[in-house]
Amino acid sequence: MSDLLKNIDARTKLAGTNKLEILLFTLGQDERTGRRENFAINVFKVREVMRTPEITKAPDMPPSIEGMVSLRGTLVPVIDLARYAGIATTTRPEIMIVSEYNGHTQGFLVEAVDTILRLDWSQMRVPPDMLMSQMGGLVVAVTELENNKLVMMMDVEKVLAESVPGSDKIDPDTLIQDQSLTTKTVFIADDSVVARRQIEMTLDAMHIKHVSTINGKRAWDELQRIAQSADLQGKLVRDMIHLVLTDVEMPEMDGYMLTKLIKSDPRFSGIPVLMHSSLSGASNQKLGQSVGVDGYVAKFEAHRLSEAIANFLLKE
């Protein structure tokens, strides 16, 4: 099992090239449809993969929480992904994917892991509305492999927000408040519905206007439209958009590529780019700096996001 994820740190070099590596896994055969769906998680979010250890049941847990396990002295919640996704299966999950995200460590129970695939983000598509509805918002991107196998990228933000109490808590009293912020507009690019909601709630509490898009490609298209509008009005784009806040992992175009495009276009001169991502390791931050990112803040801690945003907007 460890061979599957060895040398994982070396994979950080993929960031900035609009490429990613995903770990494929299955949740079991759905008794209602007879299908065994294929899911994926970004390798960067995976700490280790192991046989399912003994799980201690705990009272008053959300339905999808199987219980807790002790990993090197730390209690970690264990989420049954099949139950969370509403997949009825008699297969007992034999594998646990240990994920680090948003300052939390958690275990995801799955039927089996398959392999690691290297893809271009342009191969990852925004899921159709019907699939989004069917999977309860669990999926943020889909791709079809050469063997016609459909693979669905899991929305870790959503799973944690709905399964781990307090993982998306926002305390307005901890956020920066300044009257001059009310004249600012932040442009957001993030593929997760939950992450966008968290960001928007933070900005609303700070009384900052915002515009949201669902991935890097949509963001770039919208930014070009705004630039054209600014030109027609005889304005500068930086007078309309005061900060770009972008995720790293996004279908069609990732945050590194988006940043590279923004920084290479003189129309967007003077607009800082703040990267807001769960991929917050030092190597990823260096890669962000190499494409021109002005700041980096880890998901999701509302007070730190508030401080990072205010740090740029109050400079002006």
Side-chain angles (χ1 to χ4, degrees):
M1 194 69 64
S2 60
D3 290 342
L4 187 65
L5 296 172
K6 68 181 180 180
N7 300 322
I8 190 171
D9 290 338
R11 292 190 168 95
T12 57
K13 64 184 179 183
L14 293 178
T17 61
N18 211 40
K19 296 185 183 296
L20 77 158
E21 285 191 339
I22 57 176
L23 174 64
L24 301 187
F25 61 89
T26 58
L27 300 179
Q29 181 172 309
D30 193 326
E31 294 180 335
R32 297 167 300 182
T33 64
R35 293 171 56 86
R36 178 174 272 102
E37 306 292 358
N38 300 281
F39 293 88
I41 184 172
N42 194 315
V43 168
F44 284 126
K45 288 192 173 86
V46 179
R47 192 175 85 183
E48 58 185 306
V49 178
M50 62 175 65
R51 296 287 176 186
T52 301
E54 182 177 350
I55 299 173
T56 301
K57 302 288 185 180
D60 302 321
M61 283 286 193
S64 59
I65 299 287
E66 185 71 14
M68 308 288 286
V69 298
S70 178
L71 293 180
R72 288 172 283 281
T74 301
L75 284 178
V76 173
V78 179
I79 300 167
D80 186 331
L81 284 182
R83 188 182 304 163
Y84 176 87
I87 295 176
T89 174
T90 57
T91 306
R92 181 177 177 79
E94 298 184 354
I95 301 297
M96 185 171 77
I97 299 173
V98 180
S99 174
E100 286 187 331
Y101 175 78
N102 192 15
H104 298 271
T105 300
Q106 52 281 319
F108 295 126
L109 296 183
V110 303
E111 177 194 40
V113 293
D114 186 357
T115 188
I116 288 175
L117 291 179
R118 180 175 296 185
L119 300 171
D120 192 287
W121 272 113
S122 63
Q123 295 174 256
M124 304 299 294
R125 302 297 183 187
V126 176
D129 292 340
M130 184 177 70
L131 180 59
M132 285 283 287
S133 176
Q134 180 183 351
M135 298 305 301
L138 176 65
V139 177
V140 290
V142 296
T143 189
E144 188 173 353
L145 306 183
E146 291 180 356
N147 58 3
N148 297 321
K149 179 188 293 186
L150 185 70
V151 176
M152 298 176 279
M153 180 76 83
M154 180 179 67
D155 185 349
V156 176
E157 286 101 326
K158 180 175 175 61
V159 176
L160 289 184
E162 297 183 355
S163 301
V164 180
S167 62
D168 63 342
K169 185 178 179 181
I170 295 174
D171 182 358
D173 293 336
T174 66
L175 306 183
I176 303 295
Q177 303 288 338
D178 191 290
Q179 183 61 33
S180 63
L181 293 175
T182 61
T183 64
K184 307 299 183 182
T185 300
V186 172
F187 188 95
I188 305 163
D190 201 302
D191 63 325
S192 169
V193 173
V194 169
R196 288 198 305 275
R197 185 178 73 237
Q198 292 170 337
I199 295 166
E200 289 167 356
M201 288 172 61
T202 301
L203 293 173
D204 286 341
M206 295 173 70
H207 307 291
I208 298 173
K209 296 184 286 292
H210 48 81
V211 177
S212 296
T213 53
I214 63 173
N215 61 38
K217 185 177 184 302
R218 302 283 181 91
W220 181 239
D221 291 344
E222 180 62 15
L223 283 170
Q224 290 185 88
R225 189 196 66 76
I226 291 172
Q228 291 168 1
S229 176
D231 185 55
L232 290 173
Q233 298 177 60
K235 295 181 178 180
L236 297 174
V237 181
R238 64 172 176 264
D239 293 330
M240 302 171 71
I241 298 294
H242 303 94
L243 174 72
V244 173
L245 180 67
T246 180
D247 188 17
V248 171
E249 306 173 274
M250 295 181 287
E252 299 184 338
M253 182 189 292
D254 69 13
Y256 292 112
M257 187 62 68
L258 173 62
T259 301
K260 196 179 289 186
L261 290 171
I262 291 171
K263 292 300 182 178
S264 63
D265 192 323
R267 295 176 299 173
F268 304 109
S269 175
I271 302 176
V273 177
L274 177 61
M275 195 157 272
H276 182 228
S277 173
S278 58
L279 305 181
S280 55
S283 57
N284 287 287
Q285 294 189 38
K286 287 180 181 178
L287 283 163
Q289 293 168 2
S290 73
V291 295
V293 167
D294 298 284
Y296 210 114
V297 60
K299 284 184 176 178
F300 172 76
E301 296 177 74
H303 69 285
R304 290 192 179 180
L305 176 60
S306 170
E307 290 173 355
I309 291 171
N311 182 53
F312 284 107
L313 297 185
L314 295 177
K315 281 181 180 178
E316 301 179 4

